[in-house]
Amino acid sequence: MDYVIGVDIGTTSTKAVIYDLKGTVKGYANVTYPLYQETPDMAEEDPNEIFDAVIQTIQQVVRKAGVKAGELKGVSFSAAMHSVILMDKDNQPLTRVITWADNRAEKYSKQLLASGVGQEIYAKTGTPIHPMAPLSKLIWLRTEHKDLFDKTQKFIGIKDYIFYRLFGEYVMDYSLASATGLFNIFKMDWDEQALATAGVTKAQLPRLVSTTAQMRGLNKSYAEYMGIEADVPFILGASDGTLSNLGVNAIDPGVLAVTIGTSGAVRTVVDKPMVDDQGRLFCYALTEDKWVLGGPVNNGGIVFRWVRDQLFGPEKITAEQMQVDAYDILTDIAAKIPAGSDGLLFLPYLGGERAPIWDANARGTFFGLTRQHTRAHMVRSALEGIVYNLYMVMLMIERIAGAPTKIQATGGFSRSALWRQMLADVFEQEVNIPESFESSCLGAAVMAMYSLGIVDDLSVVKDMVGVTKSHQPNEDNFKNYRELIPIWIRVGQDLKDNYEAIAGYQRTHVDKNSIHGKSQD
């Protein structure tokens, strides 16, 4: 039997899935690692912990599938966007991975936007001006950590680091490049104005390659560890968001993909680069003729995790003792509360926010709290707030690309019937849940098959996603939400100035400026 492997390098774990050539899962592995958040705006990872996770997950799925010599046709990669690692002249990391969730470049993003230069760059790169983007991170590093910046030989992302360790060369696919804020999506090359603004040169960045590009000649020791042959082609693949669209069969015009994992996103595929005149939406490459237009949110499942850990500690302990999922207990509790949470609103901005408000200073807020509200109201309100936020992103996409004709939803939230129904009710549209397993991994695997000539077109994914669950909007719930959403929007607008004030207070009283390099032990 022949196989391909899709690997997804995520924010808190790396997953690998091995498929046969019909898209049937033959093995799955998941290795977690910490997200270092020692100060309010920091969000870093250890690149070597991630590298170890990558080779461990591949080893595990190869073993589970019982792969024999010659059966593995290719390995393809999905990865989280916007990461930055500074590499020295000896090709050693000077920093940890500075992730998309890191907000320490917030001041420099604001300056770029105020000067007008940010909008000029956005119009060419399709990456919103925000501290998530490497463009802003590099300005911050150059200004506040000049000693490290000046020692840097290469500025790379996490997938580039993995490929360097495996093949000894720095390469970056068009998809991840298009999420840096440094890449001109209309010319398909690094943008000179963006590079000058960041203070870097082309020579300090990886070589650009197609998302279907293949690397061969794997480091033999790693090949032996993973249990594969050194000549197995590794396909660059793309970003996690774009491959998730592919993996849920949301690549036709009008099909909207809604993802809620740790973070979240709303995306649709268009046939050419498009940008928003207000700089609020991203446009990232899937292939040279398929582009993903959408908006990312910081606050998806990570908010639900906060609710679990901070508001439902006893239930979490009980769930662990009973060996059941604490999230299932929480959604059962939330389901007893009516739609709209009896007027309790939650703005889910626990980690600043990207789309729809693009405000790194935004902070979480419960609004409308009374003595009648309970913890059950709070958990439902938190889930609703996440969905309201995604709905606002959908409205922005609709303005540019037209109204969606179909919604494909995926991510960890899709395990919850309550959350799935909530999405249908707020969006007032049928929501389909593909049964494809790990959509970004499947997208990467299909990209591998396409690159290797096993399939002629990416549309074969429609035969691999499996049966879907469908949810129709509940009219009574929809009426509740339509009354509450305008209030939710106004509350966020009224708090904007105070977001900045409270964020300033928090930054003043907690040292945010440290940056952690590799261990010296």
Side-chain angles (χ1 to χ4, degrees), residues 438-490:
E438 295 295 347
S439 58
S440 293
C441 290
L442 177 59
V446 172
M447 186 71 79
M449 294 182 211
Y450 180 58
S451 170
L452 295 164
I454 296 169
V455 300
D456 296 328
D457 192 273
L458 296 176
S459 64
V460 297
V461 73
K462 69 180 182 295
D463 300 320
M464 301 177 181
V465 296
V467 179
T468 64
K469 298 174 184 175
S470 292
H471 291 258
Q472 300 294 333
N474 177 297
E475 185 177 355
D476 290 337
N477 291 350
F478 168 74
K479 288 177 180 177
N480 261 340
Y481 291 135
R482 279 298 165 274
E483 193 171 343
L484 288 169
I485 287 173
I487 303 171
W488 184 89
I489 294 170
R490 289 197 299 272

Side-chain angles (χ1 to χ4, degrees), residues 4 52 90 100 153 235 239 294 297 304 321 333 501:
V4 293
D52 290 345
D90 298 316
W100 62 268
Q153 190 82 5
I235 293 85
S239 66
V297 302
F304 199 11
Q321 292 171 343
I333 291 170

Side-chain angles (χ1 to χ4, degrees), residues 243-501:
L243 286 173
S244 180
N245 265 60
L246 175 58
V248 298
N249 189 30
I251 56 173
D252 293 328
V255 181
L256 197 70
V258 178
T259 302
I260 308 177
T262 304
S263 55
V266 184
R267 303 176 301 267
T268 193
V269 171
V270 292
D271 59 8
K272 62 182 179 181
M274 294 182 177
V275 293
D276 170 37
D277 59 7
Q278 297 182 49
R280 300 169 301 178
L281 298 174
F282 61 67
C283 187
Y284 301 145
L286 175 59
T287 63
E288 285 87 334
D289 57 4
K290 288 187 183 296
W291 296 80
V292 176
L293 178 73
V297 302
N298 289 357
N299 299 287
I302 200 166
V303 173
F304 199 11
R305 183 189 302 173
W306 174 82
V307 170
R308 180 199 67 184
D309 293 346
Q310 304 304 327
L311 302 181
F312 287 84
E315 287 81 0
K316 180 184 176 185
I317 292 170
T318 300
E320 290 170 351
Q321 292 171 343
M322 297 174 61
Q323 296 185 326
V324 298
D325 191 336
Y327 292 119
D328 291 341
I329 294 176
L330 265 62
T331 52
D332 287 344
I333 291 170
K336 295 178 173 62
I337 302 300
S341 303
D342 290 327
L344 180 61
L345 301 176
F346 182 66
L347 285 84
Y349 306 137
L350 301 186
E353 190 51 283
R354 293 180 289 174
I357 62 173
W358 294 101
D359 188 349
N361 290 320
R363 296 296 186 259
T365 306
F366 280 107
F367 179 79
L369 192 63
T370 70
R371 289 191 302 273
Q372 283 69 44
H373 288 119
T374 65
R375 287 189 307 153
H377 287 88
M378 296 174 84
V379 65
R380 179 167 188 126
S381 176
L383 300 181
E384 288 173 338
I386 294 167
V387 177
Y388 294 164
N389 210 42
L390 293 165
Y391 175 75
M392 297 306 298
V393 179
M394 184 275 289
L395 293 179
M396 294 190 300
I397 294 173
E398 183 177 82
R399 177 175 163 266
I400 295 175
T405 58
K406 182 179 179 183
I407 295 177
Q408 302 282 89
T410 186
F413 95 104
S414 64
R415 293 192 296 269
S416 164
L418 172 68
W419 218 348
R420 297 194 302 262
Q421 185 61 49
M422 197 179 287
L423 192 67
D425 294 342
V426 171
F427 280 61
E428 198 188 11
Q429 195 161 97
E430 179 183 6
V431 170
N432 301 300
I433 312 295
E435 290 296 331
S436 60
F437 186 73
E438 295 295 347
S439 58
S440 293
C441 290
L442 177 59
V446 172
M447 186 71 79
M449 294 182 211
Y450 180 58
S451 170
L452 295 164
I454 296 169
V455 300
D456 296 328
D457 192 273
L458 296 176
S459 64
V460 297
V461 73
K462 69 180 182 295
D463 300 320
M464 301 177 181
V465 296
V467 179
T468 64
K469 298 174 184 175
S470 292
H471 291 258
Q472 300 294 333
N474 177 297
E475 185 177 355
D476 290 337
N477 291 350
F478 168 74
K479 288 177 180 177
N480 261 340
Y481 291 135
R482 279 298 165 274
E483 193 171 343
L484 288 169
I485 287 173
I487 303 171
W488 184 89
I489 294 170
R490 289 197 299 272
V491 171
Q493 292 171 339
D494 291 344
L495 286 172
K496 183 172 177 56
D497 289 343
N498 288 310
Y499 284 151
E500 185 170 3

Side-chain angles (χ1 to χ4, degrees), residues 185-206:
I185 59 177
F186 299 97
K187 295 182 178 179
M188 300 297 285
D189 198 359
W190 298 118
D191 183 78
E192 294 294 345
Q193 182 185 18
L195 296 188
T197 302
V200 300
T201 66
K202 284 186 179 183
Q204 292 178 297
L205 298 172

Side-chain angles (χ1 to χ4, degrees), residues 119-242:
Q119 184 61 26
E120 290 177 13
I121 293 175
Y122 166 77
K124 295 183 290 180
T125 65
T127 302
I129 303 301
H130 184 271
M132 69 175 185
L135 169 64
S136 297
K137 289 183 172 76
L138 293 175
I139 298 170
W140 162 64
L141 288 163
R142 190 188 73 217
T143 306
E144 298 191 20
H145 299 282
K146 192 172 185 302
D147 55 336
L148 287 174
F149 193 90
D150 289 346
K151 292 176 185 175
T152 302
Q153 190 82 5
K154 287 284 185 180
F155 298 93
I156 66 171
I158 185 56
K159 193 200 287 186
D160 318 334
Y161 181 76
I162 301 302
F163 270 75
Y164 176 79
R165 291 281 304 270
L166 294 175
F167 296 96
E169 184 181 358
Y170 292 114
V171 291
M172 180 181 282
D173 65 78
Y174 288 144
S175 184
L176 285 172
S178 64
T180 62
L182 304 170
F183 178 81
N184 190 311
I185 59 177
F186 299 97
K187 295 182 178 179
M188 300 297 285
D189 198 359
W190 298 118
D191 183 78
E192 294 294 345
Q193 182 185 18
L195 296 188
T197 302
V200 300
T201 66
K202 284 186 179 183
Q204 292 178 297
L205 298 172
R207 177 170 66 89
L208 292 168
V209 298
S210 168
T211 54
T212 59
Q214 302 173 17
M215 299 286 287
R216 297 174 184 264
L218 181 64
N219 179 295
K220 290 183 179 180
S221 62
Y222 294 133
E224 183 177 346
Y225 175 84
M226 290 183 281
I228 64 178
E229 296 167 280
D231 62 351
V232 169
F234 275 49
I235 293 85
L236 264 290
S239 66
D240 52 0
T242 59

Side-chain angles (χ1 to χ4, degrees), residues 84-88 92-95 141 148-149 152 154-155:
V84 171
I85 310 170
L86 275 55
M87 303 293 290
D88 68 16
Q92 296 300 310
L94 289 165
T95 65
L141 288 163
L148 287 174
F149 193 90
T152 302
K154 287 284 185 180
F155 298 93

